[in-house]
Amino acid sequence: LENAREYHEFIAQCTTLTMGDLSAYIQENGIHFEEYDFVRFLKWWVKFNRIRPCYQYGPLIKRHISFSQLNATEPRSLDKIYYFRERNIFTDDDLPMPDSVIALSLQENIGTRMLEDASLRSWFSPLPVDVWASFISQQPIMTQGLVDDAEARNLVLSMLSREYRRQYRYGRAEGSQFEALMRNLLSDKSCIPFEDPKGKAKNTTDLPTELYLSSASLEAFSGISSFRKVNPELKDAGVSDDFLLALGVRKSVSVEFLFSNLDKLKWSENPKALIDYLRSATLTSQDMENLRSMAYLPALNDKSRTFAPSELYIGGSDLSGLNLPFIRLIQWPSDDKLSAESADGKFLMKLGCRVDPPLEPFLKYLSSQDDLTDEKRFHCLSFINKRLQPGGVYERVWAKSSASFKKMHFLPCTRKDPFGDGTLVKELRAPQECYSDSACQVMGFIILDPEVDRKSGRTYGTSFQLVSKPSPQLLLKRMLEVVLTAKMLLEHAGQDDEAIALRKTILSLFEQMFTYLSSRSSDFAPSHMKALQRESFVPCKDGSGSIGWYKPGDVYFKNSEKEEDEIIALLFHSVGFSPFLAAAGVKSEASVQDILHRLVSKPREVLQKVGVDKYTNLLHRIASEPIKNPSAQIRQAPFLLAYQQQEEGKGEDGAEAIATPVLAKAQDIYLIDNSFFGRMFPVLNAPHETDLEALYYRFGSRYISESVNKSYRIIGQQHKSTTLTR
């Protein structure tokens, strides 16, 4: 093919196939691969992009590809596959996987390194453990507890246990977050196998909270109740006790039984009597220490067990109304008000009961709950906002860990597709990802939900340390990204009504963007504007309705109040006035040199667009600023308007003959300073206007009187002394 390149390009004039052509074809017709060809295609795509990167076409192409696997009855759509396995995490090949994960056989044929290539990052990503955990927690092997599923269930628990240890090696915060996820997914699932000495149970699993570690010493309570222990096979499979404890498996019951039998469980629903007794009793420091560490207090809406004071919160009016699932409020009679200022509340605080939830779990909860009502989320944020104020309990915590807190997605925000229909998409975002100034949303930036901001009294931006506005560098980068996207959309648009609507949308969008950027003009440095002058980012609509992109120096501002500017608008690319575009280099009006250059380069096109009268006006404008030394190009260009006189008499239709306007070089046009010569000789006449005659003369035209040579000749013979001379 390389040997024949010259033939194909210059002789056969074959069109070069581009990735845009391939993308358009696949979008229109789709493409289906067998497994072997599908593997070859992905490998080709990676290698091709390493030579000629075209990542932007990846999502479009993936959406229209399907393939058939060996021994599969139905074809698969590639658009429904998002993940591949990380072999260092998912080490067991027999682990069940969701349909969104590429088949293991395909992954091995393609190669994990290929799937990790930059060109496929928009196609596939490593399967997150939390996604897989959410999937597997809903499968029958983790919910039905059948004996036949024991081996697969042990594999799943072993894998989750390994990930639990790995997350804690990354850090306490990561480990706690993963622990909370596991507890949320599995604590209500009958998924932990227990010992079945008799082997008669059809279901050999139970809830984590109903089981005890296999190593737990429960002999002392054997006469009171019977207990189920975790099957020792789990330990052999690599499931750690720490992981089981994190799921809710119990380690000991001795303290619980001790307190239960002391008061016959009379205070298990209402601990007020116990607290009243303890407040009135004489307690030693050791007694207080025991009371702080032992679990004997009931929690509101949690009957699973009793809790230590440090695990419970004193629910004030604002905290109780939030109904936060990650904290436990102490069970207390509804007719008795419990607060941090009451006698009971102060004693519970001495025992270790807390008043305000820790900030980090609170923010993690808000970032993980997408389905919270707007009202509840607002109350939660107001609770935090109040304590972030100077002197608040969260002020120092936030200051110490603000970098990590700003990465959590807990703030309700809105974003709008610049090319969409104006629909606002609500989503949770981190403080470092959004802005408090709603005006920047026109450029696609994410902003704090204006409704939430209004209800908060415009305080969230300060409290959560939101950046008010995007930086100048980021604004220019986003603008160029929008330009690139607009060009791609226009490239794939046709000439139908939808395409026309798209062009209107783009022009309206950039008008709004330039208005916003103008409001930020003082933030841009001269270096920003200088760099921008090299970019073609100004959209202008031509006569056919298409949109072109031009550098600022090639565009002029419209001024509909002047007729001459209407002429300029026909010849040059023009936009509405914008201070930002003015700073970027867009000119307020076309100079004489610009007009002259346009007339010299394309005189017939200009005349056709504007007509004779307006063309003459342009020449008047050029004449208003004398050009001292016109170049040879100007002298030789046929751009001057002249008139060709027709022969005297009547035309074919009976009308008087008139002069015909034509375009000619200056040297071919004559200035008529003698009307007799003008009628005598069929020359091109310059317009009879003083300023234009001076202009034509400077460019090389001649006066007709200077160009006519006079000579005289006597006809007949000479006669002397005739009768008349006597």
Side-chain angles (χ1 to χ4, degrees), residues 301-435:
N301 300 326
D302 190 346
K303 308 300 181 184
S304 61
R305 61 184 179 92
T306 53
F307 302 89
S310 60
E311 295 177 288
L312 299 176
Y313 290 79
I314 299 172
S317 58
D318 52 352
L319 183 59
S320 299
L322 298 181
N323 192 25
L324 300 175
F326 66 95
I327 66 169
R328 298 183 179 90
L329 300 177
I330 188 171
Q331 174 74 38
W332 203 257
S334 58
D335 56 350
D336 185 77
K337 185 177 181 180
L338 179 66
S339 66
E341 292 76 25
S342 65
D344 289 335
K346 292 178 179 178
F347 181 79
L348 287 168
M349 290 173 65
K350 288 182 180 180
L351 294 179
C353 284
R354 293 181 278 183
V355 178
D356 297 301
L359 182 57
E360 183 175 350
F362 205 162
L363 296 178
K364 286 183 177 179
Y365 164 74
L366 291 178
S367 65
S368 63
Q369 302 298 312
D370 297 332
D371 56 350
L372 283 184
T373 63
D374 293 343
E375 182 178 3
K376 182 173 181 179
R377 185 173 296 277
F378 175 76
H379 288 322
C380 290
L381 291 173
S382 297
F383 181 94
I384 297 174
N385 181 43
K386 181 179 178 182
R387 288 155 179 78
L388 282 175
Q389 302 309 309
V393 295
Y394 292 156
E395 181 187 16
R396 291 187 178 180
V397 180
W398 179 276
K400 183 178 180 181
S401 305
S402 61
S404 61
F405 291 156
K406 288 181 181 179
K407 297 178 182 178
M408 297 183 181
H409 294 68
F410 63 89
L411 283 177
C413 297
T414 61
R415 63 176 174 84
K416 181 171 63 175
D417 182 3
F419 302 97
D421 57 0
T423 302
L424 294 178
V425 178
K426 294 188 176 184
E427 55 188 12
L428 297 179
R429 288 287 184 165
Q432 68 179 18
E433 296 177 342
C434 59
Y435 301 90

Side-chain angles (χ1 to χ4, degrees), residues 185-410:
L185 293 176
L186 301 178
S187 61
D188 61 343
K189 305 291 190 307
S190 179
C191 61
I192 306 300
F194 57 83
E195 286 183 298
D196 181 25
K198 298 181 180 180
K200 295 182 178 181
K202 294 182 179 180
N203 297 326
T204 58
T205 60
D206 206 343
L207 298 174
T209 53
E210 298 297 325
L211 300 177
Y212 296 84
L213 295 178
S214 60
S215 60
S217 179
L218 306 174
E219 291 78 12
F221 308 101
S222 59
I224 301 176
S225 180
S226 59
F227 307 95
R228 284 181 171 176
K229 291 186 178 182
V230 173
N231 195 320
E233 292 179 358
L234 276 187
K235 193 167 188 178
D236 298 336
V239 181
S240 67
D241 286 349
D242 290 339
F243 176 66
L244 294 174
L245 290 173
L247 296 182
V249 175
R250 302 182 185 186
K251 186 175 183 180
S252 175
V253 297
S254 58
V255 176
E256 297 176 7
F257 266 62
L258 174 62
F259 269 83
S260 297
N261 289 303
L262 282 177
D263 203 13
K264 306 300 182 184
L265 300 178
K266 291 181 180 179
W267 43 265
S268 60
E269 291 290 332
N270 181 6
K272 180 171 175 53
L274 173 64
I275 299 303
D276 289 340
Y277 168 77
L278 293 175
R279 281 200 301 111
S280 61
T282 302
L283 302 173
T284 65
S285 58
Q286 185 60 48
D287 292 332
M288 290 295 292
E289 190 64 27
N290 291 336
L291 288 172
R292 291 189 183 100
S293 60
M294 299 173 71
Y296 54 93
L297 293 175
L300 181 66
N301 300 326
D302 190 346
K303 308 300 181 184
S304 61
R305 61 184 179 92
T306 53
F307 302 89
S310 60
E311 295 177 288
L312 299 176
Y313 290 79
I314 299 172
S317 58
D318 52 352
L319 183 59
S320 299
L322 298 181
N323 192 25
L324 300 175
F326 66 95
I327 66 169
R328 298 183 179 90
L329 300 177
I330 188 171
Q331 174 74 38
W332 203 257
S334 58
D335 56 350
D336 185 77
K337 185 177 181 180
L338 179 66
S339 66
E341 292 76 25
S342 65
D344 289 335
K346 292 178 179 178
F347 181 79
L348 287 168
M349 290 173 65
K350 288 182 180 180
L351 294 179
C353 284
R354 293 181 278 183
V355 178
D356 297 301
L359 182 57
E360 183 175 350
F362 205 162
L363 296 178
K364 286 183 177 179
Y365 164 74
L366 291 178
S367 65
S368 63
Q369 302 298 312
D370 297 332
D371 56 350
L372 283 184
T373 63
D374 293 343
E375 182 178 3
K376 182 173 181 179
R377 185 173 296 277
F378 175 76
H379 288 322
C380 290
L381 291 173
S382 297
F383 181 94
I384 297 174
N385 181 43
K386 181 179 178 182
R387 288 155 179 78
L388 282 175
Q389 302 309 309
V393 295
Y394 292 156
E395 181 187 16
R396 291 187 178 180
V397 180
W398 179 276
K400 183 178 180 181
S401 305
S402 61
S404 61
F405 291 156
K406 288 181 181 179
K407 297 178 182 178
M408 297 183 181
H409 294 68
F410 63 89

